[in-house]
Amino acid sequence: SAELSAACAVELSSIGDCVAILMAIDRARRAGVPEATIEAARNGAEARFGQRLAAARMAVENSKTTSEKALETLAGLGDFGRKLKYNASEMALAARAFEAALPQGTVAPSDVPLIEKAVTLRDMLGARLPEQYLTWTVVAQQVREALVASKDESRIGEVTNTIERAQQAALPDIPEFIALKERARAIAAFKLV
């Protein structure tokens, strides 16, 4: 019971604190701590969690430019909230804030890293992202791999196929994509000589 009280009294400064609470609740149940004691500790932790989730959501909503760190914080809290079975409407608000924080309309090449990060985090919060973002994430990784492969001139076919896929996906001109196109042109020019 003392461990449970201590775990549930932390300020929730990290996702690790959230995990520690879940583990302490589980250990308390297995140790036979009365359910009323567990619920009281859980309710206190839940109230602090709600404040933290609301603050993270507002930070994302009120920011002119969303950072990867802000999305990570919101997604991590969302993951914990889902495990805690926290208020569904508050969790939905957090997911919508996550979705709305991403670029809408025309996407600049500088937005792609944030989109890629959001794709990796979306399931933690239950966020829904445009299919185009999922495609760009896959294609951007393929572009990076092809850029490495382009050092071997015999792999020009793989490089050109990747460029075609990226163009079909309308991948913004991220630096790696520009470099890959330049590398392909250089290889082609060298083979013509």
Side-chain angles (χ1 to χ4, degrees):
S1 180
E3 177 196 1
L4 176 65
S5 296
C8 290
V10 298
E11 289 302 312
L12 298 173
S13 60
S14 72
I15 300 307
D17 293 339
C18 298
V19 171
I21 290 169
L22 289 175
M23 292 172 59
I25 289 171
D26 184 54
R27 281 193 297 276
R29 281 201 172 101
R30 284 186 278 138
V33 173
E35 198 60 35
T37 303
I38 293 171
E39 281 308 306
R42 178 189 165 105
N43 289 341
E46 218 175 79
R48 282 190 315 288
F49 169 77
Q51 293 167 349
R52 177 101 199 247
L53 181 65
R57 179 176 52 85
M58 289 174 28
V60 167
E61 288 174 343
N62 296 333
S63 175
K64 290 188 187 338
T65 58
T66 303
S67 70
E68 288 183 25
K69 182 67 177 157
L71 288 181
E72 284 175 358
T73 299
L74 187 57
L77 288 167
D79 188 41
F80 175 68
R82 288 177 42 198
K83 290 174 181 161
L84 190 63
K85 295 181 176 63
Y86 187 69
N87 181 301
S89 62
E90 290 295 320
M91 294 298 293
L93 285 173
R96 298 306 76 82
F98 183 93
E99 296 161 4
L102 297 172
Q104 309 296 317
T106 304
V107 174
S110 60
D111 295 328
V112 174
L114 182 67
I115 289 169
E116 289 179 282
K117 186 60 153 183
V119 166
T120 65
L121 297 170
R122 75 185 188 282
D123 291 338
M124 294 173 72
L125 192 56
R128 294 182 299 265
L129 301 180
E131 189 65 35
Q132 184 71 50
Y133 288 1
L134 306 177
T135 301
W136 284 345
T137 298
V138 170
V139 173
Q141 183 57 40
Q142 291 171 346
V143 163
R144 289 182 194 98
E145 291 167 2
L147 187 57
V148 171
S150 73
K151 293 176 184 169
D152 178 355
E153 293 177 4
S154 69
R155 296 177 73 180
I156 188 66
E158 178 183 336
V159 170
T160 56
N161 288 339
T162 301
I163 290 170
E164 287 174 17
R165 275 194 304 277
Q167 288 170 333
Q168 289 170 352
L171 179 68
D173 275 336
I174 59 175
E176 298 91 334
F177 189 27
I178 292 169
L180 185 64
K181 290 187 282 189
E182 289 171 0
R183 180 73 179 134
R185 279 192 289 274
I187 292 170
F190 179 74
K191 289 193 178 238
L192 289 175
V193 174

